[in-house]
Amino acid sequence: MKLYFARHGETESNRQKKIGRFGDPLTENGRFQARRMAARVAKEPIDLIVASPYERSKETAAIIAGAIGKEVRETPLLAEKKWPSAIEGKLLEDSGAKKFFDLQKEKNIADPNWHHSDEENFSDIKRRARLFIDYVSGLKQENILAVSHEYFIKAVIAAMMHGDALTYEIFRNFFHFAVLDNASLTLCQKDQDAWKLVALNR
């Protein structure tokens, strides 16, 4: 099985370095990026597209689907990490946002079940990544395109690599090490029962 990950195209939040919200649409540049990515995806043997229900991913998936004539199935399993409502839409450099990220780092290393407020914690994300891996492994199609978000795509790849041994600290290091641009493609392949990362951010 081949699993292609597509990160959605650019949003205004991406451009302004803000924390994204559920309804953020693509910018004109983001739509251009999605069309350019669709031309690349058309060269791959995609059987099915699965997508996050967030607006920016739905738009990206629709543009690709229109170009290659494939079905799109939405699944909440591909949604971006839910951040605290109080910081959604804030600049990454906002004092409240920076305070949360510092606290998250400190608390999650010791306790992956720690909650600040209404966000998903690390245990929630790890569980959802495993659920998505199980979900896609059970599909009958052999070539899947998953349209999702930077944080969650990296969480799935890290879960494929480390399984139950994945910790917040391992994931955090991987998150900051791996580059995943808007409208980039990443390929993972499953042989027997083992997943492998074939290409990242191409």
Side-chain angles (χ1 to χ4, degrees):
M1 170 180 280
K2 289 184 178 180
L3 175 60
Y4 299 81
F5 284 107
R7 186 184 173 197
H8 62 79
E10 180 195 68
T11 67
E12 196 62 30
S13 291
N14 294 148
R15 196 182 68 78
Q16 296 184 21
K17 299 190 183 306
K18 291 182 176 181
I19 298 164
R21 294 168 293 192
F22 181 86
D24 286 347
L26 299 180
T27 61
E28 280 305 315
N29 182 53
R31 295 184 187 97
F32 169 77
Q33 290 175 334
R35 290 191 296 270
R36 185 174 58 189
M37 183 165 53
R40 295 170 58 203
V41 169
K43 300 173 184 177
E44 306 294 340
I46 304 299
D47 301 315
L48 174 68
I49 302 170
V50 291
S52 157
Y54 279 48
E55 185 61 30
R56 52 196 182 272
S57 289
K58 287 169 62 174
E59 276 194 81
T60 302
I63 289 169
I64 296 171
I68 68 174
K70 295 295 180 180
E71 172 191 0
V72 178
R73 293 184 195 170
E74 285 183 29
T75 173
L77 291 174
L78 279 171
E80 181 58 298
K81 173 183 165 75
K82 171 68 174 72
W83 300 104
S85 296
I87 66 169
E88 287 182 342
K90 300 283 189 182
L91 290 167
L92 291 171
E93 292 300 313
D94 175 83
S95 60
K98 291 178 74 173
K99 184 177 179 180
F100 165 75
F101 290 125
D102 288 343
L103 191 60
Q104 176 183 247
K105 177 185 175 183
E106 174 192 340
K107 296 291 188 180
N108 275 174
I109 288 174
D111 179 12
N113 293 306
W114 173 81
H115 268 288
H116 173 271
S117 53
D118 62 342
E119 82 284 3
E120 284 183 290
N121 63 23
F122 180 69
S123 290
D124 295 330
I125 288 292
K126 182 178 172 180
R127 187 179 308 111
R128 184 152 63 86
R130 295 298 306 167
L131 286 172
F132 175 73
I133 293 168
D134 290 344
Y135 164 77
V136 80
S137 296
L139 293 173
K140 64 181 180 181
Q141 292 87 352
E142 284 296 314
N143 300 285
I144 313 296
L145 176 69
V147 184
S148 188
H149 310 262
E150 180 185 22
Y151 193 100
F152 191 67
I153 293 172
K154 290 181 179 180
V156 173
I157 295 170
M160 288 173 171
M161 291 170 65
H162 298 282
D164 291 338
L166 180 65
T167 65
Y168 174 76
E169 199 162 12
I170 290 171
F171 173 67
R172 186 175 181 278
N173 290 337
F174 175 71
F175 181 88
H176 290 291
F177 176 78
V179 175
L180 207 62
D181 296 324
N182 286 116
S184 61
L185 284 173
T186 291
L187 173 61
C188 295
Q189 186 167 320
K190 185 178 183 182
D191 296 315
Q192 305 295 324
D193 292 325
W195 284 97
K196 293 181 180 179
L197 177 61
V198 178
L200 178 70
N201 197 52
R202 60 177 190 165

